C-alpha cells in the first residue's frame, strides 16, 4: 500500500514540475513517488522555489511613476492595464487585466514546502543532506509567509491581533478551507520557521551560490522580521550572525559596470523569483534625487533619459551564469541596514549604528567620508535603506511599518490627458490590499479585508 504522503507529493510534483520531473520514479501515468532525500531536494527546487512574480509591489509604493516618453501613439498601454494597482483601487484584482495573483502563487509554492516537510523524515538518504533540504524548506516557508502577511494583514506594530493569512503547515487537503490566523500568530510561525532553518544549517558547512536558501539567508530574514516586530536586540543579533557568515560587501566603487542579480558578487546570498518594473513606468524622480552624484548605485542601476525614458537595470539577470530566470536578490547589505536601524533604536548604540551606515556607504559612494555625528540618524538610515533596497520587494512594506504615510501617484491614460493625482491617505485601508474574488471563492472560511469595501479612488487635477 502506498503512503498517502507520497501520493500527495507525487500529485503536486506532476502538476508543478513539468519537465523537471524526470528525476522522479514513475509508477503510473498519474502517480509519481518521491522516495529519497535527493528526490525531495529536486522536488523542492521545482515546486517550492518556482519563479514567483512580485511586480505588484513596485506599483504600490513611492519609488515609481509613469514614464511620459512611453505614451506611444498617444497611449501608455501599461498605464491603462495596471491602473487598478497604481491608483490603489479596491477592485484591483477584479479588473480585466490582472497581474498574477500573488496569494495563489505563494500558496502553490507553500504546497511544495509542506509536502517536503511532511515526508522527508521518512525518506532514505544522508542525514546531512536531509538537514540541508529541511533548512531550505523551513526558510522558504518563513519567507513566503512574511510576504503574505505583509500584503494581506495589517502591519505588525499597528494591530497584531488583526487577521493575517491562513497558516497552512501541511500538504494535506482540507474539506472546507481554513480561517485566517492573526498577524501575531503568523509572525510567531515565521520566526519559528526561520530559527529552525538557521539551526539546521548551522550543523554543517555553509553552502551557497546555488539558487537555494542558505544559512546567511535565514539570518538576513530573521533580522528583517525582528526589525518589523521592533525587537531591536534580536534584530541586531540576527544581522550580526548574517554578516559573520557572509563573504562581505561588494565594493561598487572599484567596478566599471555591474549586474546585481549574479552570484559573482560576494554580497549576493540568494537569487530568486522575478520582479521587473513594468514597461511604461520609471523610477520616481524623488528616489533618483536622493542619490549622491558619486553614488555608484545610481550609475549602475539606472539608465536616465534616452529615447524610452528612465529605466532600471537593477533587476536584469546575469545570463552568463546559465540561469536567466531569477532577478531578485537577498544581499548582505540588508543585514548592515537592519542592524544599523536596530542599533539606532537602542540606547547607547549610536556609534555602532553610524559604523554600519558608514561601512555600507564606503562600498557604494566614490570618495565617501565617514560621518561621525548626526542628529537625525534613524531618518538617515531609512533613506539609505530606500536607496539600497529599491525594487527589492521592501519599500511598500517599509512604508507600512513606518506608520503608513500619505503618498501620491500622478496618472493619465493618454498623452493628451491632464495629469490626475491619486492619494493614498495616511493609514489608508488600502495599505492592506484586498483578497481577490477567486481567492475568496476558493476558501469559504476566509474573511475579506475592509479595503475591499472602500469606494473607488478618484484622481484630482
Amino acid at each position: 500500500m502506498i503512503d498517502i504522503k507520497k501520493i500527495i507529493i507525487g500529485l503536486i510534483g506532476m502538476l508543478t514540475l513539468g519537465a523537471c520531473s524526470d528525476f522522479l520514479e514513475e509508477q503510473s501515468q498519474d502517480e509519481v513517488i518521491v522516495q529519497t532525500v535527493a528526490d525531495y531536494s529536486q522536488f523542492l527546487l521545482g515546486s517550492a522555489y518556482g519563479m514567483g512574480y512580485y511586480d505588484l509591489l513596485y506599483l504600490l509604493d513611492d519609488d515609481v511613476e509613469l514614464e511620459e516618453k512611453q505614451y506611444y501613439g498617444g497611449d501608455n498601454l501599461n498605464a491603462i492595464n495596471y491602473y487598478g494597482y497604481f491608483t490603489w483601487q479596491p477592485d484591483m484584482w477584479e479588473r480585466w487585466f490582472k497581474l498574477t495573483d500573488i496569494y495563489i502563487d505563494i500558496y502553490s509554492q507553500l504546497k511544495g514546502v509542506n509536502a517536503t516537510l511532511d515526508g522527508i523524515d521518512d525518506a532514505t538518504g544522508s542525514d546531512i543532506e536531509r538537514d540541508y533540504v529541511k533548512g531550505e524548506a523551513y526558510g522558504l516557508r518563513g519567507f513566503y509567509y512574511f510576504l503574505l502577511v505583509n500584503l494581506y494583514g495589517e502591519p505588525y506594530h499597528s494591530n497584531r491581533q488583526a487577521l493575517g493569512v491562513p497558516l497552512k503547515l501541511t500538504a494535506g487537503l482540507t474539506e472546507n478551507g481554513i480561517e485566517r490566523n492573526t498577524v501575531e500568530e503568523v509572525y510567531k510561525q515565521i520566526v519559528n520557521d526561520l530559527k529552525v532553518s538557521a539551526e539546521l544549517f548551522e550543523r554543517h558547512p555553509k553552502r551557497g551560490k546555488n539558487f537555494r536558501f542558505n544559512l546567511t539567508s535565514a539570518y538576513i530574514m530573521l533580522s528583517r522580521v525582528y526589525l518589523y516586530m521592533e525587537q531591536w536586540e534580536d534584530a541586531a543579533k540576527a544581522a550580526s550572525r548574517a554578516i559573520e557568515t557572509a563573504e562581505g560587501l561588494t565594493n561598487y566603487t572599484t567596478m566599471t559596470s555591474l549586474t546585481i542579480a549574479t552570484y559573482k558578487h560576494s554580497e549576493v546570498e540568494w537569487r530568486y523569483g522575478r520582479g521587473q518594473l513594468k514597461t511604461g513606468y520609471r523610477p520616481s524622480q524623488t528616489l533618483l534625487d536622493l542619490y549622491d552624484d558619486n553614488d555608484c548605485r545610481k550609475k549602475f542601476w539606472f539608465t536616465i533619459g534616452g529615447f524610452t525614458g528612465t529605466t532600471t537595470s537593477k533587476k536584469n539577470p546575469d545570463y552568463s551564469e546559465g540561469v536567466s530566470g531569477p532577478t531578485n536578490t537577498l544581499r548582505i547589505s540588508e543585514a548592515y541596514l537592519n542592524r544599523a536601524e536596530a542599533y539606532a533604536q537602542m540606547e547607547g548604540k549610536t556609534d555602532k549604528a553610524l559604523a554600519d551606515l558608514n561601512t555600507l556607504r564606503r562600498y557604494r559612494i566614490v570618495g565617501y567620508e565617514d560621518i561621525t555625528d548626526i542628529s537625525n540618524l534613524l531618518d538617515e538610515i531609512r533613506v539609505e535603506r530606500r536607496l539600497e533596497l529599491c525594487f527589492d520587494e521592501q519599500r511598500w512594506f517599509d512604508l507600512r511599518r513606518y506608520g503608513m504615510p500619505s503618498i501620491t501617484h500622478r496618472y493619465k491614460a493618454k498623452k493628451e490627458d491632464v495629469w490626475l493625482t491619486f492619494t493614498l491617505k495616511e493609514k489608508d485601508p488600502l495599505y492592506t490590499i484586498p483578497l481577490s474574488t477567486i481567492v475568496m471563492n476558493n476558501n469559504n472560511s476566509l474573511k475579506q479585508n475592509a479595503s475591499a469595501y472602500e469606494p473607488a479612488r478618484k484622481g484630482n487635477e
Side-chain angles (χ1 to χ4, degrees):
M1 185 174 181
I2 298 174
D3 190 329
I4 186 65
K5 290 181 182 178
K6 292 182 179 179
I7 294 175
I8 292 171
I9 292 169
L11 292 176
I12 294 173
M14 292 290 285
L15 289 171
T16 59
L17 288 176
C20 295
S21 61
D22 292 343
F23 66 88
L24 299 173
E25 175 188 349
E26 283 198 33
Q27 302 296 319
S28 70
Q29 289 186 343
D30 56 4
E31 180 183 302
V32 179
I33 304 300
V34 183
Q35 295 180 316
T36 69
V37 171
D39 288 344
Y40 275 103
S41 178
Q42 292 302 310
F43 171 78
L44 187 72
L45 182 63
S47 65
Y49 281 90
M51 286 302 301
Y53 289 81
Y54 307 118
D55 308 60
L56 166 66
L57 291 170
Y58 309 143
L59 295 174
L60 298 173
D61 65 36
D62 55 352
D63 282 347
V64 65
E65 62 190 26
L66 282 164
E67 173 55 76
E68 197 157 11
K69 289 187 177 182
Q70 292 290 326
Y71 285 82
Y72 299 128
D75 293 353
N76 181 333
L77 184 60
N78 278 349
I80 299 170
N81 290 342
Y82 303 118
Y83 166 84
Y85 308 98
F86 186 65
T87 62
W88 310 290
Q89 298 297 331
D91 64 345
M92 61 178 67
W93 296 112
E94 317 311 326
R95 294 176 174 270
W96 72 273
F97 195 94
K98 300 179 179 67
L99 287 171
T100 303
D101 195 315
I102 293 180
Y103 185 100
I104 294 173
D105 274 3
I106 293 180
Y107 273 104
S108 176
Q109 291 170 307
L110 282 168
K111 287 181 184 178
V113 169
N114 289 331
T116 298
L117 292 174
D118 282 352
I120 193 169
D121 283 340
D122 297 327
T124 59
S126 161
D127 287 340
I128 295 175
E129 295 303 319
R130 194 188 321 272
D131 283 348
Y132 280 119
V133 176
K134 289 174 68 174
E136 292 174 39
Y138 279 110
L140 287 174
R141 193 163 71 182
F143 175 77
Y144 290 142
Y145 272 117
F146 172 84
L147 293 177
L148 284 169
V149 76
N150 279 283
L151 280 167
Y152 300 101
E154 293 184 35
Y156 183 89
H157 76 280
S158 175
N159 183 8
R160 68 187 69 174
Q161 296 308 314
L163 291 178
V165 292
L167 282 173
K168 184 73 167 61
L169 305 178
T170 66
L173 301 176
T174 53
E175 185 175 348
N176 296 314
I178 55 177
E179 297 179 352
R180 297 170 67 177
N181 292 80
T182 66
V183 169
E184 184 174 40
E185 289 169 339
V186 177
Y187 265 83
K188 285 182 178 179
Q189 184 63 48
I190 293 168
V191 169
N192 181 72
D193 282 345
L194 291 173
K195 288 174 69 175
V196 172
S197 174
E199 290 166 2
L200 287 163
F201 285 132
E202 288 278 16
R203 297 175 183 176
H204 311 289
K206 178 186 170 182
R207 293 179 180 176
K209 313 296 184 182
N210 59 359
F211 301 94
R212 292 174 180 258
F213 202 85
N214 67 0
L215 172 67
T216 307
S217 301
Y219 283 115
I220 293 173
M221 282 305 304
L222 258 179
S223 69
R224 186 193 301 183
V225 174
Y226 282 135
L227 197 70
Y228 280 48
M229 298 173 74
E230 300 183 354
Q231 295 183 15
W232 313 124
E233 289 190 11
D234 289 331
K237 288 178 181 178
S240 294
R241 185 58 182 149
I243 293 167
E244 291 168 1
T245 59
E247 294 179 28
L249 291 166
T250 301
N251 192 347
Y252 288 16
T253 69
T254 63
M255 306 176 73
T256 57
S257 64
L258 180 144
T259 299
I260 192 171
T262 173
Y263 283 122
K264 295 173 184 176
H265 301 316
S266 59
E267 66 187 38
V268 176
E269 290 295 334
W270 180 33
R271 282 182 60 185
Y272 66 95
R274 289 181 185 264
Q276 292 284 5
L277 183 57
K278 293 294 186 184
T279 302
Y281 295 84
R282 53 165 278 164
S284 68
Q285 194 60 46
T286 302
L287 170 65
L288 295 175
D289 287 345
L290 291 171
Y291 288 96
D292 185 277
D293 290 340
N294 293 322
D295 196 319
C296 296
R297 291 170 295 195
K298 187 174 184 178
K299 177 174 64 174
F300 293 149
W301 293 354
F302 306 101
T303 302
I304 300 174
F307 178 73
T308 58
T310 300
T311 60
T312 176
S313 59
K314 182 181 183 184
K315 307 311 284 288
N316 290 346
D318 185 348
Y319 296 100
S320 69
E321 289 188 328
V323 177
S324 62
T327 61
N328 304 348
T329 56
L330 195 64
R331 307 187 307 281
I332 199 59
S333 56
E334 182 188 341
Y336 281 91
L337 290 164
N338 291 348
R339 190 169 69 176
E341 186 172 339
Y343 281 151
Q345 298 277 13
M346 298 162 64
E347 187 175 351
K349 301 291 185 180
T350 300
D351 289 347
K352 290 188 174 183
L354 269 173
D356 282 338
L357 179 61
N358 285 325
T359 297
L360 178 59
R361 285 179 170 175
R362 285 197 299 272
Y363 282 82
R364 300 296 188 253
I365 303 172
V366 174
Y368 178 74
E369 295 183 2
D370 287 0
I371 54 175
T372 57
D373 185 38
I374 188 170
S375 59
N376 57 339
L377 178 58
L378 181 60
D379 291 340
E380 195 78 7
I381 291 168
R382 287 179 171 178
V383 168
E384 197 65 31
R385 183 180 185 86
R386 184 178 183 183
L387 300 179
E388 177 69 20
L389 302 178
C390 62
F391 308 110
D392 279 343
E393 304 86 53
Q394 298 214 51
R395 179 62 179 171
W396 176 247
F397 296 162
D398 278 342
L399 289 171
R400 283 164 41 91
R401 71 184 180 91
Y402 295 161
M404 298 175 282
S406 178
I407 60 175
T408 60
H409 283 168
R410 294 172 71 240
Y411 176 85
K412 64 178 180 179
K414 299 178 181 295
K415 187 173 184 178
E416 64 270 20
D417 290 349
V418 293
W419 285 102
L420 298 176
T421 298
F422 287 81
T423 300
L424 188 71
K425 303 184 301 295
E426 182 179 3
K427 302 189 186 303
D428 197 298
L430 261 298
Y431 261 112
T432 302
I433 67 173
L435 298 159
S436 69
T437 299
I438 294 175
V439 168
M440 294 295 295
N441 289 341
N442 286 343
N443 182 352
N444 57 16
S445 296
L446 288 178
K447 290 184 179 180
Q448 180 61 276
N449 285 326
S451 56
Y453 308 110
E454 284 284 295
R457 301 304 167 93
K458 297 181 179 179
N460 297 314
E461 292 186 20

